[in-house]
Amino acid sequence: MAQRRTLYYDGTTTLWRDPVQGITRATLAEAGQALADDEIVALVPAEDILLTDVALPPIRQAKRRLAAARFALEDRLAGRIEQLHFALGTATSGGETPVAVVDELQMRAWCDAFDAAGLDVVRILPDCLALPVPDAHTWQMARIDERILLRTAPSHGFACSEDLWPVLAGAFDTPDIIELHGTSSDTIQALDGTDEAFAPSPEIKPHSHAGVDALIGVLLDQAETHKSAINLRQGEFARHNQLESRWRPFILTGGLAAAWLIVTIAAHGIETWRLHQQIDALEAQTLTAFRDAFPDVGTINDLRVQAEQGIASLRGGSGSAGLFPVLEATADVA
């Protein structure tokens, strides 16, 4: 039975937790060889993903809900709507539905890369949503190299470079607490500019980890426990659609073969029906010829025997004349 494993992919390098070797860092192709038999949850950079909310009407059909989200967000997005991919989360008690928006080409590039590596990726999540789930007055934040990951709510967050952090932070209401995950005791330096962004400044609770791989290990461990994180594999990028696209050439070939078989069977049936019609017509002609030749015969039980007896009687003999004289009698009547 396939196990479910979490993979961190930054576009170049992959990391996953091996039960024996611990955090393993490798190429995507190497990950495909090591995890070929597993179902994969993939974390991808949140810089490429917009996480927002939208109010949707009570629509049950997933395809129609996605279409409604596209329409509702059209005026709020800078890109062309037909070039964007949308994924929906679970509606909140307030009636808002979380939405993830990503460029369709970027989404296709991720899926193609995973397929080329032979990975069975069942979920694709923004890496910021792999941070611990924050409560109503707390943010979860991580500094990975020169990146800032922030999770402000169960289905909301973003990622940016360190220099953009003060600008983006100022667009939010000030939280009471920021749980800050870093790789050393100087983690708080990742929050330069926070004092200017917030008034008053939130309380910072630092959490130090042994290194970048250990910090990413936290994301790997958290990813599968957060069902509120939006899975980007929806719509045309849903897993079953991807499987269908792989099998589509074989389905087409099988469909053509089935169509050929149906046509062949139909042609055979038509030919069989035509032959039966000819046989019925010949039998009717034979009966007509027999009655014209032997009008005194009342009941026909065995046409061949009675025809031979009739021909023998016409010739004045008692022996069987064979089947050929039937044709002679028919010719005489004609």
Side-chain angles (χ1 to χ4, degrees):
M1 182 177 179
Q3 297 182 2
R4 181 162 292 194
R5 309 280 287 276
T6 303
L7 180 81
Y8 187 92
Y9 177 59
D10 63 7
T12 304
T13 306
T14 58
L15 291 91
W16 70 93
R17 186 179 295 281
D18 184 90
V20 177
Q21 300 178 2
I23 299 297
T24 302
R25 183 183 289 261
T27 65
L28 194 60
E30 292 169 336
Q33 295 176 356
L35 307 175
D37 298 329
D38 300 322
E39 292 183 345
I40 303 300
V41 175
L43 302 178
V44 295
E47 286 91 338
D48 298 310
I49 302 162
L50 170 66
L51 297 172
T52 186
D53 282 318
V54 65
L56 295 179
I59 302 173
R60 292 186 177 182
Q61 188 177 4
K63 186 175 182 180
R64 293 182 60 194
R65 292 181 71 238
L66 280 172
R70 297 172 74 95
F71 178 78
L73 291 172
E74 185 172 7
D75 294 336
R76 293 160 54 181
L77 301 173
R80 296 177 61 183
I81 202 76
E82 63 272 13
Q83 296 177 344
L84 300 175
H85 169 64
F86 293 77
L88 303 183
T90 302
T92 64
S93 57
E96 296 284 306
T97 298
V99 183
V101 185
V102 61
D103 186 273
E104 184 176 329
L105 292 179
Q106 177 61 74
M107 186 66 186
R108 194 172 303 279
W110 285 328
C111 291
D112 289 346
F114 295 140
D115 288 343
L119 290 167
D120 181 17
V121 177
V122 297
R123 302 181 73 201
I124 299 178
L125 310 178
D127 57 0
C128 67
L129 296 188
L131 287 166
V133 179
D135 60 35
H137 305 288
T138 303
W139 286 1
Q140 292 287 340
M141 183 176 177
R143 179 182 183 271
I144 300 178
D145 295 327
E146 297 181 354
R147 299 176 63 224
I148 297 296
L149 273 65
L150 190 70
R151 190 173 191 177
T152 60
S155 298
H156 293 85
F158 62 87
C160 65
S161 59
E162 286 187 75
D163 55 347
L164 286 177
W165 155 248
V167 178
L168 296 178
F172 294 86
D173 295 332
T174 304
D176 295 337
I177 300 171
I178 294 180
E179 300 272 357
L180 178 57
H181 301 265
T183 58
S184 65
S185 59
D186 62 352
T187 297
I188 295 179
Q189 294 180 4
L191 294 177
D192 286 346
T194 300
D195 292 339
E196 293 78 11
F198 296 116
S201 296
E203 178 186 354
I204 305 299
K205 291 186 176 180
H207 301 272
S208 184
H209 302 271
V212 172
D213 287 2
L215 180 51
I216 292 178
V218 173
L219 303 182
L220 295 175
D221 295 339
Q222 291 284 328
E224 261 305 286
T225 64
H226 301 330
K227 302 305 180 182
S228 59
I230 301 175
N231 180 15
L232 296 176
R233 299 216 73 163
Q234 297 183 29
E236 67 172 302
F237 294 103
R239 185 182 178 218
H240 65 86
N241 285 345
Q242 293 290 309
L243 293 174
E244 286 176 4
S245 65
R246 293 182 187 179
W247 284 99
R248 190 169 292 117
F250 302 100
I251 294 173
L252 178 60
T253 302
L256 291 174
W260 174 83
L261 181 61
I262 291 172
V263 170
T264 302
I265 292 174
H268 178 74
I270 292 172
E271 179 65 17
T272 301
W273 177 83
R274 188 182 65 82
L275 291 174
H276 278 299
Q277 291 296 105
Q278 290 181 349
I279 291 171
D280 291 342
L282 289 173
E283 288 181 350
Q285 292 176 5
T286 303
L287 287 172
T288 301
F290 180 86
R291 293 213 177 269
D292 289 341
F294 309 108
D296 297 333
V297 177
T299 302
I300 300 176
N301 296 317
D302 189 326
L303 182 62
R304 177 175 177 175
V305 173
Q306 288 176 278
E308 290 177 349
Q309 291 175 349
I311 292 171
S313 175
L314 290 174
R315 290 184 173 180
S318 58
S320 176
L323 181 60
F324 182 75
V326 174
L327 300 178
E328 294 179 347
T330 304
D332 292 340
V333 173

